[in-house]
Amino acid sequence: MASLGVDSEQEPLLGDRTPGSREWDIIETEEHYKSRWRSIRILYLTMFLSSVGFSIVIMSIWPYLQKIDQTADASFLGWVIASYSLGQMVASPIFGLWSNYRPRKEPLIVSIFISVAANCLYAYVHVPASHNKYYMLAARGLVGFGAGNVAVIRSYIAGATSLQERTSSMANTSACQALGFILGPASTDEVQVPQENIDQVAVVATNILFFVILFIFRFETIVTPLTMDMYAWTREQAVLYDGIILAALGVEAVIIFMGIKLLSKKIGERALLLGGLIIIWVGFFVLLPWGNQFPKIQWEDLHNNSIPNTTFGEIIITLWKSPREDHSEEPTGCPVEQAWCLYTPMIHLAQFLISAVLIGIGYPSCNVMSYTLYSKILGPNPQGVYMGWLTASGSAARILGPVFISQVYTAWGPRWAFSLVCGMVVLTVTLLGVVYRRLIAFSVRHGRIQE
């Protein structure tokens, strides 16, 4: 928040006012100025608190799911995580359209009540005697529906800041990842301008880029199962250690967001987006399993006669190399029903951490640059519906991503899963190269300012 600085806060509501421009006749009063910045600061704080809650839940979903319903596997975990985004995808255009015609407080208050009720349901999904995993699926879907207010949030940030402020504001917004907030008086008395032509090719391309960026980051879905399989961590250890890693990546992301403003002024948003994609590709390439050291196998599954279709020799060699464990404790290691555990090398912890750091650099950069470019492409036009569609495309990625990555991981292992992600990143870079020259600000395209 402090990075915005005093100078950026002195900017007029809709951009630089120069003689002869349409914005020259728009006067922002002192009351509106104080109101919009009070609203934005409340927005940052509430989004931060909401993100803390989201981070706590996302790392504990897999152990919680295993505890309440023994029939749930890693594939169903993908559907549980995807249900959140399905709800958000449905709600985002609705809330965005609602905010275009009514005060923003209305969809925000409704979405907050939905989120509270859904989280209460999630807290008690262990109570029913059966079908607990489906109750969790429904609860996460409703939580996602409540989180659809992010479209309203993004449109408010874009509409309440000038072009110069927008990169910094979007960086701060991304750093907080909104679930809900309450706006001040400025939300019901904002300045509207006539809608002008928007480059629809740039709009569609940015939606596709944003979809792919969020899709490839859904590997977080399998972080807990991956670390339990590769490093023989218990459920408690996985939640603790993965939580620490996630917290460290959060600190890294905040630093990246704070540096975005300075870098974007020097090299531009498009270059930052391209650089972020390249760093993400390197991160996933590092994550590919290599070598001749294999993960530890879960012995309990072997005694349950759940051995996959492999040769007898492979099974004997694998069991001979796998250290035995105390069967009185929770079984750890890679489940033998995942056939790839017998022939896929393990991902070393150092390898995993290096990859996490690289992806932790690339993903925040791509995320905030996508939002910033999209907002600038739209310009001073009403952005509620457009932001709704952008949020919907992101939600679609968060629906398909977890299902895709969990299914591929369970069936074929990390080598196939991360190789396919690397291929998607290459295709995304190619698309960015094709539309690179069209991803420019609305004011630049219409000749109001020079790039």
Side-chain angles (χ1 to χ4, degrees):
M1 278 179 274
S3 66
L4 287 172
V6 177
D7 292 338
S8 66
E9 293 190 5
Q10 300 301 324
E11 296 288 346
L13 182 63
L14 293 177
D16 291 333
R17 291 182 303 212
T18 56
S21 68
R22 181 173 57 195
E23 290 83 1
W24 180 254
D25 297 326
I26 298 176
I27 304 297
E28 183 182 18
T29 65
E30 184 69 18
E31 180 182 359
H32 279 91
Y33 162 75
K34 291 181 180 179
S35 179
R36 73 183 176 98
W37 278 104
R38 181 171 60 251
S39 299
I40 291 172
R41 287 176 177 133
I42 293 173
L43 170 76
Y44 290 153
L45 176 62
T46 13
M47 287 192 299
F48 170 75
L49 296 175
S50 299
S51 297
V52 172
F54 178 83
S55 300
I56 292 172
V57 170
I58 197 67
M59 281 294 103
S60 60
I61 283 181
W62 176 233
Y64 188 30
L65 179 61
Q66 288 183 309
K67 186 174 182 179
I68 66 171
D69 198 323
Q70 297 296 325
T71 64
D73 56 11
S75 298
F76 192 81
L77 171 66
W79 289 105
V80 170
I81 294 178
S83 66
Y84 173 92
S85 300
L86 177 61
Q88 190 179 53
M89 183 183 71
V90 172
S92 293
I94 297 174
F95 288 146
L97 185 63
W98 190 351
S99 68
N100 271 4
Y101 294 98
R102 297 289 300 172
R104 286 192 174 93
K105 287 183 179 180
E106 292 182 5
L108 291 174
I109 292 173
V110 170
S111 65
I112 289 172
F113 275 112
I114 293 174
S115 296
V116 171
N119 277 291
C120 290
L121 174 61
Y122 179 79
Y124 288 95
V125 293
H126 64 282
V127 174
S130 60
H131 306 298
N132 304 78
K133 64 182 182 181
Y134 297 108
Y135 287 108
M136 178 182 282
L137 187 72
R140 291 302 296 168
L142 289 173
V143 172
F145 193 92
N149 59 21
V150 70
V152 185
I153 295 169
R154 297 293 182 181
S155 65
Y156 178 80
I157 289 292
T161 53
S162 68
L163 185 64
Q164 286 75 18
E165 294 171 311
R166 201 160 291 166
T167 299
S168 181
S169 297
M170 286 297 179
N172 282 301
T173 306
S174 296
C176 296
Q177 286 303 305
L179 290 182
F181 69 101
I182 300 176
L183 294 176
S187 63
T188 60
D189 193 21
E190 62 183 4
V191 179
Q192 295 288 346
V193 294
Q195 187 167 358
E196 297 189 39
N197 293 329
I198 299 173
D199 186 353
Q200 297 298 330
V201 173
V203 169
V204 173
T206 308
N207 272 275
I208 295 174
L209 290 170
F210 187 67
F211 171 87
V212 177
I213 290 168
L214 267 66
F215 183 94
I216 60 181
F217 190 69
R218 291 309 98 191
F219 92 100
E220 67 179 6
T221 302
I222 60 168
V223 165
T224 303
L226 175 69
T227 53
M228 292 175 68
D229 291 347
M230 291 292 156
Y231 314 123
W233 289 351
T234 63
R235 297 173 187 173
E236 291 75 13
Q237 288 175 322
V239 172
L240 175 62
Y241 299 153
D242 290 338
I244 293 173
I245 293 172
L246 182 64
L249 292 179
V251 174
E252 179 188 22
V254 170
I255 296 173
I256 296 297
F257 288 136
M258 294 304 134
I260 284 292
K261 181 180 179 181
L262 296 176
L263 285 176
S264 63
K265 288 182 178 179
K266 293 182 179 180
I267 63 177
E269 289 88 358
R270 294 175 298 178
L272 279 175
L273 179 57
L274 177 60
L277 286 171
I278 293 174
I279 293 174
I280 288 175
W281 183 88
V282 174
F284 277 104
F285 184 80
V286 170
L287 200 55
L288 293 174
W290 304 100
N292 54 8
Q293 185 175 351
F294 297 89
K296 174 185 168 185
I297 302 297
Q298 277 191 23
W299 279 82
E300 181 179 84
D301 293 317
L302 293 175
H303 294 292
N304 289 335
N305 297 320
S306 57
I307 298 176
N309 294 326
T310 54
T311 65
F312 179 77
E314 288 176 334
I315 295 174
I316 294 300
I317 293 174
T318 302
L319 300 184
W320 181 263
K321 291 183 178 179
S322 299
R324 293 180 179 270
E325 62 187 29
D326 185 358
H327 292 284
S328 63
E329 299 179 354
E330 174 187 342
T332 60
C334 201
V336 74
E337 64 264 20
Q338 296 178 164
W340 57 263
C341 294
L342 298 175
Y343 57 81
T344 301
M346 71 175 294
I347 300 172
H348 298 280
L349 184 59
Q351 186 181 354
F352 175 77
L353 294 176
I354 292 172
S355 174
V357 170
L358 291 172
I359 296 172
I361 294 173
Y363 174 73
S365 303
C366 293
N367 188 295
V368 71
M369 287 302 100
S370 298
Y371 271 117
T372 303
L373 281 170
Y374 194 68
S375 179
K376 290 186 174 182
I377 289 169
L378 298 178
N381 299 284
Q383 298 190 5
V385 175
Y386 280 105
M387 283 296 176
W389 287 117
L390 185 69
T391 303
S393 67
S395 298
R398 287 189 289 265
I399 294 169
L400 299 176
V403 175
F404 170 82
I405 198 73
S406 62
Q407 295 288 336
V408 174
Y409 175 81
T410 302
W412 297 319
R415 176 172 287 171
W416 269 100
F418 300 140
S419 295
L420 291 174
V421 170
C422 286
M424 292 178 189
V425 176
V426 172
L427 293 176
T428 306
V429 171
T430 303
L431 173 62
L432 178 58
V434 172
V435 299
Y436 194 87
R437 294 184 178 275
R438 304 194 70 144
L439 302 182
I440 57 177
F442 182 91
S443 53
V444 174
R445 177 172 298 279
H446 291 269
R448 293 181 185 173
I449 62 174
Q450 293 184 348
E451 189 175 13

